[in-house]
């Protein structure tokens, strides 16, 4: 990334030295993991460019938007409705939580046994290395797992623009009505922040834009059902990660362009790995940029990932929002309906998630499922046992992995993954 961005980062109050160190590690990781892959679709060069400019050009674009009086809203969870943000004339960005940073400082504020994702969100703030966080006019936290809920209480003392959204934990009518009320409250907060009144037309337009992004990812997902698979799991994961950062219209266009290319590949029986390569479905905790550890291990151990049952994946993008409502209330109901279907492990009971995992394993022809749990993430780790039982009862092999963002367990993970791949290849 060009050094010309240094004044921009400085203006955001970032720690340039620490940020340089982060970019060096990121750049090297990207080189070793992404650029070292073979047979990548040409369209992925767009995502290579996005990643090379993720703290540069994209931040400049956001700051240019701010100069035009457009507000930037940062979020840590797929429950924050982008439809409402866009309808209010603001831009939503995902906040980085995929790498360890400033761990010693973080552990002054959080217990050691906190999941890596939460620790990372603190590390990026304490280390002053995330330009998205520093550009945001509003940061939205949510009451999901206990870890996040309590962490936001501390986080509120580190930033002056934290907005916390309450979320239900049960899919009951009371739960749905809480979600609707919280979305109404969020709509008002967005209107107050931007000074723009959300109307039927702006909300319809917001829904259209976000649906188009999701539909492009649905198209990409469907193409991964082919054998040989036309795109690696790593590349598909990257598209799902960039979903949270990029300009929505440009993102949709770029994903659709890749899909056009993949359709040709499928017609020509061209794959990124040979036909009959063992196929894996990943399920579990979200993988935020630059958390590529497990997919990289899997795809360098003789298997290909064909789907992600994850918030950075199908759990996050599965359903579209109905845009046929004629009044604001009807549209808000539709937004609520759409998000109420997200089957995060914080819900109890959460049978739908197991059902979705089974559905996905079948639809994508997975030979096995790897359940990915971040250490100390109670909701997903607790749920991984019934998920494994459900899958095994149906004859779908499943392996449960618990890990963090550190690299110390790479060797051990690789050995386990290789053994699992051998088991499902028979
Ligand atoms: S809707 S998955 S994005 S909350 S890994 S912080 S659950 S202890 S991230 Fe999530 Fe929204 Fe749910 Fe999706 Fe807690 Fe677990 Fe850490 Fe987690």
């Amino acid at each position: 990334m060009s050094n010309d961005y240094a004044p921009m980062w400085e203006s955001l109050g970032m720690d340039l030295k620490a940020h340089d160190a982060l970019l060096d590690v990121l750049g090297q990781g990207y080189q070793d993991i992404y650029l070292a892959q073979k047979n990548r679709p040409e369209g992925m060069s767009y995502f290579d460019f996005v990643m090379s400019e993720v703290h540069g050009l994209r931040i400049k674009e956001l700051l240019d938007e701010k100069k035009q009086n457009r507000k930037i809203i940062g979020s840590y969870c797929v429950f924050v409705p982008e439809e409402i943000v866009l309808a209010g004339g603001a831009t939503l960005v995902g906040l980085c939580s995929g790498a360890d940073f400033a761990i010693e400082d973080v552990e002054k504020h959080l217990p050691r046994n906190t999941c890596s994702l939460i620790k990372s969100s603190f590390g990026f703030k304490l280390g002053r290395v995330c330009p998205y966080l520093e550009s945001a006019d509003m940061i939205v936290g949510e009451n999901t797992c206990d870890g996040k809920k309590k962490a936001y209480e501390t986080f509120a003392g580190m930033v002056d623009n934290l907005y916390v959204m309450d979320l239900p934990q049960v899919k009951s009518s009371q739960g749905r009505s809480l979600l609707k009320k919280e979305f109404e409250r969020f709509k008002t907060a967005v209107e107050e922040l931007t000074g723009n009144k959300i109307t039927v037309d702006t909300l319809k337009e917001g829904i259209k834009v976000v649906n188009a992004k999701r539909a492009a990812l649905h198209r990409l997902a469907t193409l991964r059902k082919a054998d040989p698979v036309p795109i690696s799991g790593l590349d598909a994961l990257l598209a799902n990660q960039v979903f949270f950062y990029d300009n929505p219209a440009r993102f949709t266009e770029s994903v659709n362009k890749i899909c056009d290319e993949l359709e040709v590949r499928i017609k020509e029986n061209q794959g990124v790995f040979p036909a009959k390569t063992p196929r894996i479905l990943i399920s579990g905790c979200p993988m935020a940029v630059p958390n590529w550890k497990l997919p990289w291990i899997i795809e360098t151990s003789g298997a290909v990932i064909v789907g992600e049952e994850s918030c950075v994946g199908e759990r996050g993008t599965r359903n579209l929002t109905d845009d046929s409502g004629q009044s604001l209330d009807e549209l808000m109901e539709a937004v609520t309906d759409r998000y109420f279907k997200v089957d995060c492990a914080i819900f109890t009971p959460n049978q739908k998630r197991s059902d979705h995992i089974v559905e996905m394993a079948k639809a994508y022809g997975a030979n096995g499922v790897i359940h990915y749990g971040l250490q100390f993430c109670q909701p997903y780790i607790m749920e991984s046992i019934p998920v494994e039982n459900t899958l095994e009862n149906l004859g779908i092999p499943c392996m449960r992995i618990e890990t963090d963002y550190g690299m110390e367990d790479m060797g051990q993970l690789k050995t386990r993954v290789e053994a699992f791949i051998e088991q499902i290849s028979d």
Side-chain angles (χ1 to χ4, degrees), residues 23-274:
L23 288 190
D24 281 350
V25 176
L26 248 176
Q28 192 56 52
Y30 197 78
Q31 179 81 31
D32 296 346
I33 294 174
Y34 274 89
L35 302 182
Q37 296 180 95
K38 298 202 170 72
N39 305 325
R40 298 178 77 209
E42 273 173 32
M44 282 310 295
S45 58
Y46 170 72
F47 288 101
D48 293 340
F49 175 71
V50 169
M51 285 311 291
S52 70
E53 287 290 339
V54 73
H55 281 196
L57 197 57
R58 183 64 186 133
I59 298 299
K60 188 178 173 308
E61 286 178 351
L62 295 178
L63 296 181
D64 286 346
E65 287 183 14
K66 277 165 77 97
K67 276 188 206 144
Q68 308 294 321
N69 250 339
R70 196 174 165 95
K71 302 292 181 191
I72 309 298
I73 299 182
S75 117
Y76 291 107
C77 178
V78 299
F79 265 100
V80 180
E82 188 171 8
E83 293 91 334
I84 294 178
V85 173
L86 293 177
T91 297
L92 186 73
V93 289
L95 295 172
C96 328
S97 305
D100 285 334
F101 207 83
I103 277 296
E104 272 184 30
D105 275 355
V106 171
E107 288 179 356
K108 289 180 196 149
H109 300 270
L110 293 171
R112 286 195 85 181
N113 55 354
T114 304
C115 87
S116 293
L117 210 135
I118 298 175
K119 279 188 179 170
S120 170
S121 60
F122 271 54
F124 278 51
K125 178 63 206 168
L126 291 164
R128 291 185 288 126
V129 290
C130 177
Y132 291 90
L133 190 56
E134 305 305 334
S135 310
D137 298 290
M138 179 200 270
I139 298 168
V140 187
E142 13 57 53
N143 290 341
T144 43
C145 64
D146 285 352
K148 275 186 169 182
K149 244 186 321 214
K150 299 311 284 181
Y152 289 130
E153 290 175 12
T154 308
F155 201 64
M158 297 177 182
V159 295
D160 55 13
N161 51 0
L162 182 71
Y163 174 97
V164 179
M165 184 184 277
D166 198 16
L167 289 183
Q169 307 213 330
V170 179
K171 299 270 176 92
S172 58
S173 57
Q174 293 95 322
R176 190 190 172 286
S177 106
L178 168 64
L179 189 65
K180 168 95 191 295
K181 281 197 189 110
E182 279 300 293
F183 283 177
E184 291 285 357
R185 189 170 70 90
F186 180 61
K187 175 174 149 289
T188 307
V190 171
E191 287 175 333
E192 279 168 10
L193 178 77
T194 60
N196 299 325
K197 202 91 196 120
I198 292 176
T199 64
V200 171
D201 287 346
T202 60
L203 189 49
K204 260 188 196 281
E205 181 57 24
I207 293 174
K208 221 168 78 198
V209 171
V210 187
N211 276 349
K213 278 201 323 179
R214 293 182 185 126
L217 284 179
H218 295 173
R219 191 177 160 208
L220 178 69
T222 302
L223 296 170
R224 295 167 76 192
K225 292 178 181 169
D227 186 25
V229 187
I231 184 168
S232 69
L234 273 166
D235 279 339
L237 172 64
L238 188 66
N240 278 285
Q241 290 174 329
V242 169
F243 176 91
F244 295 93
Y245 300 93
D246 203 6
N247 168 283
R250 193 171 57 205
F251 174 84
T252 302
E253 192 192 319
S254 309
V255 174
N256 277 321
K257 220 158 113 196
I258 292 181
C259 292
D260 294 342
E261 189 186 341
L262 298 189
E263 279 169 1
V264 175
R265 279 187 162 206
I266 292 172
K267 252 190 221 136
E268 293 173 351
N269 211 25
Q270 229 187 77
V272 70
F273 296 106

Side-chain angles (χ1 to χ4, degrees), residues 76-79 114-118 142 144-148 167 284-286 310-312 315 342-347 374-380:
Y76 291 107
C77 178
V78 299
F79 265 100
T114 304
C115 87
S116 293
L117 210 135
I118 298 175
E142 13 57 53
T144 43
C145 64
D146 285 352
K148 275 186 169 182
L167 289 183
C285 292
S310 163
C311 283
V312 184
R315 191 189 315 124
V342 175
D343 45 14
C344 172
I346 59 129
F347 284 96
L374 275 175
Q375 234 170 34
F376 312 120
C377 168
Q378 284 205 346
Y380 281 92

